[in-house]
Amino acid sequence: MNNNSKKFDQAFTCVGNGHGAPCTPATKEEWLKMRNEPRVAELCQRIENGEDELKHQLPVWTPSCAEFANNHRAIADALKPLPRLMMDFDEKGHTDEIVKALTTQPSPLTVLLIEESARRGTHVLVEVPAGMEPQQAQQLMQQATGFTPDAAVKDISRCIYMVPDDHTRYISEKLFEPTTLSEAPQPEAQPTTTDTEEKLFKGIAYSSIIKEWWKANGGEPQEGERNVKLHKLAVNLRAICDNRKELMMQVMPRFGLTDSELKSIVDSACKEEPKGISRTMQEIIGQLTGLNDSVGDEADNASSTITLLPSAIKRALPPGLKESLIGVPPAMQVPVLCSLMPLIAAYADGVEVEYCDGERQHLGLMTVVRGDQASGKSVCKNAVKAWKQPMDEADEQARKIEDEWRARHKSRKANEKAPEDPKVVIRSVPITISNSTLLRRMKNAQGHTLYSFGEEMDTLTKTNGAGKWSEKYDIYRLAFDRGEWGQDYNSDQAESGVVNVAYNFTVLGTDGAFKKIFKRDNIENGLSSRTLIARMPDSSFAKMPRYGKRSDEDIATIHEAVTKLQSYVGFIDTPRLRKAIDKWEEEKRLEASKSLDHVLDTYRRRAGVIGFRCGVLAMLLEGKETKLALNFAIFMAEYCLQEQIKAFGEMLEEQKVINAKTEGQRYSANHSVFDQLPPVFTIDELATLKRGFCSPASLRKIICIWRADGWVEKIDKSHWRKTSREV
C-alpha cells in the first residue's frame, strides 16, 4: 500500500481552506494541525468581538462525509457519507452545562465531539444509530441536555467552521476512526467519480441547478415541509433527468431521508403527467448557461446591440468570476464583469507580465459603465461591493490608526513634538479625492495599487473644476502603464513628491455625464483608448429585471479569490495569451488597413492590451493558462474595441478632419458626388453613387468632412440634410 492509499484509509473527514474551497480527505493529524493554526485562533477572537463577516475566512471540515468526488462538497458528490449528525446550539454560554449533561448520564446517541463555536454557542457531534431519523436524534438531545438544538438538519455535504483546540470541551477517539463506505448508510445508486454524464445537464452540475432551485422556491426545506418541497423539486427535476428514476436517486438531495423514503418520493413524482421543463427550471438553466433562449421576455427586452456573454465562457469562468454573475440578468453580465476588472487587477498588483511587443507591464485598468437612468447600474455596484469588502476591512483598521494620529497631532501643545506620521496603507479612495491626498496615498502605498469606485460619474465634473480635471486626466492616463507623476510645492500644506501611478477605478454614469467628460476637444488625449467602456442594456419600456442574491458561500468564494490574487508576486509568463492577442491584433490591423479605417486602427491597439490584461486576471483566478483565459482575453478585447468605437468613433473621425483642415489640406474630390445626392440622404445612397468602392468607414469619413465644412447636418442616426450654404 502506498502512502496516499494509507492516508486515504485513515481519513475520517474532509477539510477546506474556506466555505467555498475544495474539501479534501483529512487524517486526525491534518485536522488537528489545521485547528491549531494561529490564524484560526485570531479569527475566532475577532469574530467573538463582533466581526461576524470574518467567519467565511475560517477553514471548514465536514463531520458527515469523509470523501467527495473531485473534492466538490455537494450531496450528489458524496462518496463516503458517515452516520454522524452535527447539532448546533445557538444560545451562548451553555457549553459546560451541555458537557455535564451528556457525560454524566447514558444516552442512545454516541457523543463524538463537544466544542464551543466561534461565537460561543455549542457544537455537538453524535453518531446516529441505524434507522434513526435526524429529527428523533434532535429530540433525544433536547431531552438529555434541556437545551433545544437548531431545527435545521445539516445534510451530509454541509461543513462546519473550525475553532481552535482550546474550544474543545469533549472529544472521543471514536471520532477519528475511519468509517468505510460499506459501514455507512449509502444511497442505492450513488454516482461514481467517472459517471460525469449522469451528473451534468448541458454541462451544468445538477447540484448547481438544485442550489438555484432552492433560491427560487423559498430556500431549503425546514422541519415540517421536507417531503412536500422534495416532491415539488422531483416533479420539476424529472424533466431534465429524462424521467430516469435511477438518475434522480443519484442527484436528489436527501435531508435525512432513507433510500426507501426518497424512492417513494421519486416514484410519486414520476407518475404525474409529464409537462416538459417548467418556466422556473427554464429560467434557472438560462441563468446558469447564459443562453438567450432560456430567459424569455428578459432577452426580448434587451437591445439588439447588447453583447451577451458566450455560454462557453460563462460555463468555464473561474471561481470568483462565476459567483459574481449569480443573480445577474444575462444582458447585464458583461458590464458587471467589466466593472470588476479594475478592482480584481488592483488585488493582483504584485504581478508583472510581458505583452506581445516584448515590454513588461502591470495590470492597470479603468472602466466606465454607462447607461440610462434606472438602467440597472446598481447590479455592478453590488458586485463591486462583494469584491471590495476585504480591501475595505483592511482600510478601516488603517484609517483608525490615522485618525488617532491626527487627533494627537491636533491636540498637542505648541512646544510639544508632533507625533510621527504612521504612513498607513489605504487603498480604497474616493473617486473625488484631491490630487494632493492622492499623491500622499500613493507615496504610502508600499507598491500597492489604489482603487476608486464612483457610483455617479456626474460627481467628477462637479468636483474637478478649475483646472483640476485636466490634472486628473494626466493621472488617469499615466495609471494605465504606471507612469511617473508628481508635484512640488514649497509649503507644508500641500503634498509634494514623485510616484509611479498605480491607480485603477470603476465609474458608473449616464450618457449625459459621459459626454461631459469625453468631449471632442479632448478625444485625442489618450484617455478614451485606455478606458474599458461598458454599456448597460436599453431599459426603455422594458419589464422590471429579476435579480438573485449571492449566498454566504458565494461571497466566501469571492473572498478566497481575493486571497489567491494577492498571493501572486513577480513576473508571470503568459506565452499562449501573448500569441492569441498578437493574432487578434494583426487581424484588426489588416482590417483597418484594407478599409483605411483610422478609428479602428487607433482603438485596436490599446483594446488588445486591455483584453490581454483581462485574460491574465482570468488565468490567475484559474491558476493556469487555460483555454478559458485565451477566449476571455479575445472576447474582452473585441468588446472593448467595439464599445470604444461606438462611444468615440464619430468624435475622433471629425476631430481628425478638423486637424487635417487646419493643416491646409483640401477636400473637394467628392464634391461632384455631393451634388448628385438628394436634399436628405442616407449612407446607402452615398455608397451607391461611389459604386461600392468605399468601405463603410470611408463613407463615414466623407460625411464627416462635409459636416465639418458645413455642407450637411445630421438629422438622425441614418439621415443627413444638405445645408443652404453654397459649396
Side-chain angles (χ1 to χ4, degrees):
M1 179 182 294
N2 60 39
N3 290 336
N4 287 336
S5 298
K6 186 177 180 181
K7 174 202 165 178
F8 181 81
D9 290 341
Q10 294 175 345
F12 76 98
T13 186
C14 293
V15 297
N17 282 320
H19 195 279
C23 280
T24 58
T27 63
K28 172 184 177 180
E29 292 73 21
E30 292 168 330
W31 183 75
L32 291 172
K33 180 180 178 181
M34 185 171 280
R35 283 164 61 95
N36 287 312
E37 289 179 358
R39 70 184 179 106
V40 175
E42 178 186 351
L43 285 170
C44 284
Q45 184 61 56
R46 292 176 64 183
I47 292 168
E48 186 180 359
N49 292 338
E51 299 182 68
D52 286 351
E53 68 278 0
L54 296 181
K55 68 180 181 180
H56 301 303
Q57 298 182 27
L58 284 169
V60 299
W61 63 292
T62 58
S64 301
C65 191
E67 183 194 357
F68 294 96
N70 300 318
N71 302 324
H72 180 242
R73 185 171 59 81
I75 296 174
D77 291 320
L79 297 181
K80 279 197 173 183
L82 308 174
R84 296 173 176 177
L85 177 66
M86 179 65 81
M87 303 190 198
D88 294 338
F89 295 83
D90 294 330
E91 193 173 349
K92 300 178 181 179
H94 299 295
T95 304
D96 291 337
E97 297 172 65
I98 292 173
V99 171
K100 184 177 180 180
L102 293 177
T103 56
T104 58
Q105 58 188 6
S107 170
L109 303 175
T110 302
V111 179
L112 303 176
L113 175 71
I114 308 175
E115 64 182 14
E116 278 191 313
S117 68
R119 289 177 287 190
R120 299 300 177 180
T122 309
H123 294 156
V124 178
L125 179 65
V126 299
E127 186 172 86
V128 181
M132 181 180 288
E133 290 287 336
Q135 288 80 5
Q136 183 183 354
Q138 289 179 330
Q139 292 172 0
L140 291 172
M141 183 60 62
Q142 181 179 355
Q143 295 170 7
T145 64
F147 297 97
T148 304
D150 188 339
V153 176
K154 294 183 178 296
D155 62 55
I156 57 175
S157 71
R158 294 298 181 90
C159 65
I160 189 167
Y161 294 111
M162 278 194 175
V163 292
D165 207 40
D166 60 9
H167 279 232
T168 302
R169 295 293 182 269
Y170 171 82
I171 193 166
S172 169
E173 279 300 313
K174 189 174 176 62
L175 170 68
F176 306 112
E177 294 178 3
T179 305
T180 64
L181 186 61
S182 60
E183 294 171 336
Q186 51 185 300
E188 293 178 357
Q190 187 69 30
T192 65
T193 56
T194 59
D195 200 6
T196 55
E197 181 184 357
E198 289 190 339
K199 293 189 297 180
L200 298 176
F201 176 75
K202 289 189 175 181
I204 315 165
Y206 279 102
S207 57
S208 298
I209 296 172
I210 293 170
K211 179 181 176 181
E212 295 302 317
W213 170 267
W214 293 134
K215 288 182 181 180
N217 288 273
E220 295 182 351
Q222 301 300 308
E223 186 174 8
E225 61 179 10
R226 177 187 60 181
N227 288 12
V228 173
K229 276 200 165 185
L230 284 176
H231 184 270
K232 183 179 179 181
L233 169 64
V235 170
N236 283 267
L237 199 61
R238 62 179 178 154
I240 59 172
C241 290
D242 293 329
N243 258 31
R244 293 168 56 193
K245 295 180 182 180
E246 70 278 9
L247 174 56
M248 293 179 67
M249 287 293 293
Q250 293 171 9
V251 301
M252 279 284 292
R254 292 174 177 261
F255 295 103
L257 290 178
T258 63
D259 290 341
S260 59
E261 290 171 327
L262 181 63
K263 188 174 185 300
S264 176
I265 290 176
V266 170
D267 288 342
S268 175
C270 291
K271 287 178 182 177
E272 294 196 14
E273 182 181 352
K275 298 179 181 179
I277 301 178
S278 68
R279 174 75 176 184
T280 302
M281 190 61 79
Q282 286 179 351
E283 291 177 351
I284 290 172
I285 301 301
Q287 178 181 324
L288 292 174
T289 61
L291 293 176
N292 195 28
D293 58 2
S294 299
V295 295
D297 296 338
E298 190 174 329
D300 296 337
N301 290 331
S303 169
S304 61
T305 61
I306 289 297
T307 302
L308 296 177
L309 187 65
S311 57
I313 290 180
K314 182 179 177 181
R315 284 198 300 267
L317 285 175
L321 288 186
K322 184 171 292 185
E323 287 70 20
S324 302
L325 298 185
I326 289 176
V328 178
M332 299 180 181
Q333 289 173 354
V334 176
V336 166
L337 288 177
C338 291
S339 70
L340 291 172
M341 290 296 106
L343 176 54
I344 296 175
Y347 282 124
D349 54 10
V351 170
E352 189 178 25
V353 291
E354 181 181 306
Y355 191 55
C356 312
D357 58 5
E359 293 292 325
R360 296 281 181 96
Q361 56 180 237
H362 293 85
L363 304 177
L365 286 172
M366 299 169 282
T367 292
V368 170
V369 179
R370 63 187 186 124
D372 302 329
Q373 295 184 40
S375 60
K377 294 187 291 295
S378 61
V379 75
C380 298
K381 173 187 173 182
N382 293 334
V384 169
K385 181 180 179 182
W387 276 87
K388 198 157 72 74
Q389 184 180 339
M391 185 181 290
D392 288 338
E393 289 173 356
D395 284 355
E396 183 180 1
Q397 299 300 319
R399 289 187 186 278
K400 287 180 181 178
I401 296 172
E402 189 175 62
D403 289 343
E404 292 170 359
W405 165 76
R406 191 176 290 111
R408 293 197 307 271
H409 190 282
K410 186 176 181 180
S411 62
R412 69 187 176 92
K413 298 178 181 178
N415 59 350
E416 188 178 353
K417 184 179 179 181
E420 185 177 352
D421 185 348
K423 297 182 179 179
V424 294
V425 178
I426 293 177
R427 300 179 62 189
S428 179
V429 299
I431 194 70
T432 55
I433 188 171
S434 69
N435 293 346
S436 187
T437 305
L438 181 59
L439 179 58
R440 180 169 182 261
R441 295 292 185 224
M442 288 181 182
K443 287 169 63 178
N444 297 338
Q446 298 180 12
H448 288 297
T449 295
L450 305 188
Y451 175 76
S452 288
F453 174 74
E455 190 172 349
E456 292 293 342
M457 191 188 306
D458 196 47
T459 307
L460 290 177
T461 59
K462 294 177 181 178
T463 58
N464 287 311
K468 292 183 179 179
W469 178 239
S470 61
E471 294 180 52
K472 277 288 179 69
Y473 261 137
D474 291 337
I475 296 170
Y476 295 156
R477 287 199 305 268
L478 292 168
F480 191 74
D481 288 308
R482 288 200 181 183
E484 191 175 87
W485 167 75
Q487 54 190 23
D488 192 3
Y489 291 104
N490 187 21
S491 168
D492 294 336
Q493 303 302 313
E495 195 73 27
S496 295
V498 177
V499 294
N500 289 105
V501 183
Y503 182 33
N504 293 359
F505 68 76
T506 303
V507 182
L508 317 179
T510 62
D511 287 329
F514 184 84
K515 292 175 182 177
K516 290 179 183 178
I517 292 176
F518 295 99
K519 302 178 181 179
R520 182 173 286 103
D521 59 0
N522 62 33
I523 195 64
E524 291 186 299
N525 70 4
L527 183 60
S528 66
S529 62
R530 289 175 169 89
T531 306
L532 174 56
I533 306 296
R535 188 74 169 85
M536 295 297 293
D538 185 1
S539 59
S540 302
F541 311 107
K543 290 183 180 180
M544 183 179 295
R546 297 183 294 274
Y547 302 109
K549 290 185 178 180
R550 299 177 187 89
S551 66
D552 290 344
E553 185 176 346
D554 298 328
I555 300 296
T557 301
I558 289 173
H559 293 175
E560 287 161 11
V562 169
T563 302
K564 187 173 186 177
L565 291 166
Q566 292 174 325
S567 69
Y568 290 105
V569 178
F571 175 71
I572 294 181
D573 199 15
T574 59
R576 294 177 64 196
L577 266 173
R578 282 199 302 273
K579 183 177 180 181
I581 286 293
D582 192 41
K583 180 182 177 183
W584 179 86
E585 279 268 20
E586 179 62 12
E587 290 172 352
K588 295 302 170 185
R589 185 192 70 79
L590 293 174
E591 181 183 340
S593 177
K594 290 177 181 177
S595 61
L596 297 177
D597 192 334
H598 295 286
V599 171
L600 173 60
D601 189 51
T602 297
Y603 286 114
R604 54 101 182 169
R605 304 169 191 268
R606 291 198 178 107
V609 176
I610 292 170
F612 171 76
R613 292 177 182 179
C614 292
V616 170
L617 296 176
M619 185 200 78
L620 296 177
L621 290 170
E622 191 87 10
K624 54 185 176 180
E625 201 175 15
T626 61
K627 184 178 180 180
L628 175 275
L630 275 60
N631 291 340
F632 189 65
I634 297 301
F635 173 79
M636 292 300 285
E638 187 67 35
Y639 179 79
C640 174
L641 174 62
Q642 297 306 323
E643 290 302 315
Q644 286 179 341
I645 291 175
K646 291 176 189 175
F648 310 121
E650 187 174 331
M651 281 194 293
L652 182 63
E653 191 81 69
E654 291 184 4
Q655 190 59 41
K656 287 182 177 294
V657 171
I658 293 172
N659 293 344
K661 284 180 65 64
T662 303
E663 295 170 4
Q665 295 184 23
R666 297 175 56 86
Y667 291 94
S668 59
N670 294 297
H671 194 165
S672 60
V673 173
F674 176 82
D675 290 337
Q676 298 176 55
L677 288 168
V680 174
F681 64 92
T682 66
I683 198 168
D684 291 333
E685 290 173 313
L686 176 59
T688 300
L689 290 174
K690 295 292 288 184
R691 294 185 174 86
F693 294 134
C694 286
S695 68
S698 298
L699 295 172
R700 287 196 303 270
K701 186 172 182 179
I702 292 170
I703 295 175
C704 285
I705 295 171
W706 291 342
R707 190 175 177 185
D709 283 338
W711 294 0
V712 300
E713 58 186 10
K714 190 171 185 177
I715 298 176
D716 55 35
K717 187 175 181 180
S718 57
H719 293 83
W720 287 264
R721 178 191 294 116
K722 292 182 179 181
T723 66
S724 58
R725 177 178 172 179
E726 293 184 3
V727 295

